[in-house]
Structure formats: C-alpha cells, structure tokens
Amino acid sequence: MSTNTIRYYEEQQCSNQWRSFLGAFSAEFASKGELSDLRAFMHQLGRTMARGFHVADGSSLQALEACMNQVWSEMNWGWVELVEEADALVVAHHASPLKIAFGEHSLDWSPALLEGVYAQWFDGLGMDKSLRLVQRAGVFEEGQLFVFDLKKQSEEPSYFTRR
C-alpha cells in the first residue's frame, strides 16, 4: 500500500470529534511522569476497559481469537492474531488506533493499554499465574502493529543469590 493509502486508513480510526482532546490529553499525560509510570497507568486502564467486554471462549486459540476480534471489530480498533510459538503465545494486534488517537510520540507508552486489555482477558480465562504478557520492543508497521508475548517469565537472580 502507498503511504497516502495507509495515512487515509489511519485517519479513519479516530473520530474527528475526539482528535483535539486526545492530542492535548496525550501531550499533558506524557509530561506528567516517567515512562514506566505512564505504561503502568495505561496497563491498568486497559485492564479496567477489558472488564467491560465479554471474552469467554478459550476452548481453542481460534475461538479465543474470534471472541477478541468481535470486540475489536465493534470498536473499530483493528484485529488480533494469536500465534503459538515454541516458548510463547504471540499476540499481534493489527491496525491499532493508538498512534492516530494519541500521536506518534505516544508509541512508547500507549500500547500498554492493549497489553492491559489482553492481560485481563487472559487472567479472566484462568491463565497460569507464572505467565506474563510483555510487549516486544520496536515499532512495527509504522505504529499500526503491536506484538506481545505471553510466556513464562524467568526471574533474574538478585545480586546476593548469584554465585
């Protein structure tokens, strides 16, 4: 696709009535704290948001993906692909409205909203507590794709327990 076509589709993802507000909110929000604090807030916001949606069919990855995509389709928030890899379940969220809603400068903290939504949905399905959802580093497809890994987290030994 051409850059103009991509830009056109991006522009359709956020209502004009909200763009000025969300742009101002984003600028003010980003100036109020450390990146880790901004991400933590957005993650919690995503968890709260997720509780308002019914995603309950975890009988298969295809069924779960379909439930999640029903929510995203109703909101015009893109779509998700769930892909099993050897050491993780990959959650790839395509055509996210976050960049156009909050601005390109928000791509360091705004995806934590999606991370929180998915984490809450997985928790609601009884996810093993040793698993954790973590965003992969990098900006993919010009801020239109966010990739998360759901996998067992290895704890780093503390300074005093290493030998």
Side-chain angles (χ1 to χ4, degrees), residues 50-67:
R51 291 183 192 109
F53 302 109
H54 186 68
V55 174
D57 189 354
S59 61
S60 70
L61 282 183
Q62 293 79 19
L64 180 57
E65 184 179 284
C67 282

Side-chain angles (χ1 to χ4, degrees), residues 55 61-73 76-83 89-97 114-115 117-119 121-122 133 144-149:
V55 174
L61 282 183
Q62 293 79 19
L64 180 57
E65 184 179 284
C67 282
M68 291 174 171
N69 280 327
Q70 180 64 37
V71 171
W72 297 134
S73 177
N76 195 25
W77 270 44
W79 70 93
V80 66
E81 286 182 290
L82 303 177
V83 179
L89 176 66
V90 176
V91 178
H93 189 104
H94 298 266
S96 164
L114 293 172
E115 185 180 270
V117 168
Y118 288 117
W121 284 344
F122 285 121
L133 189 72
Q144 288 289 301
L145 170 64
F146 299 105
V147 181
F148 306 92
D149 292 319

Side-chain angles (χ1 to χ4, degrees), residues 25-123:
F25 171 85
S26 177
E28 287 300 316
F29 182 72
S31 73
K32 300 299 183 215
E34 298 295 319
L35 179 59
S36 61
D37 294 335
L38 301 177
R39 286 190 59 86
F41 180 82
M42 292 302 282
H43 182 97
Q44 186 56 49
L45 185 63
R47 282 185 173 273
T48 301
M49 187 174 138
R51 291 183 192 109
F53 302 109
H54 186 68
V55 174
D57 189 354
S59 61
S60 70
L61 282 183
Q62 293 79 19
L64 180 57
E65 184 179 284
C67 282
M68 291 174 171
N69 280 327
Q70 180 64 37
V71 171
W72 297 134
S73 177
E74 290 171 5
M75 293 175 55
N76 195 25
W77 270 44
W79 70 93
V80 66
E81 286 182 290
L82 303 177
V83 179
E84 253 184 303
E85 288 187 351
D87 65 340
L89 176 66
V90 176
V91 178
H93 189 104
H94 298 266
S96 164
L98 296 174
K99 178 180 140 187
I100 198 67
F102 294 119
E104 195 158 343
H105 67 277
S106 76
L107 293 177
D108 290 338
W109 52 265
S110 64
L113 177 76
L114 293 172
E115 185 180 270
V117 168
Y118 288 117
Q120 183 64 41
W121 284 344
F122 285 121
D123 283 350

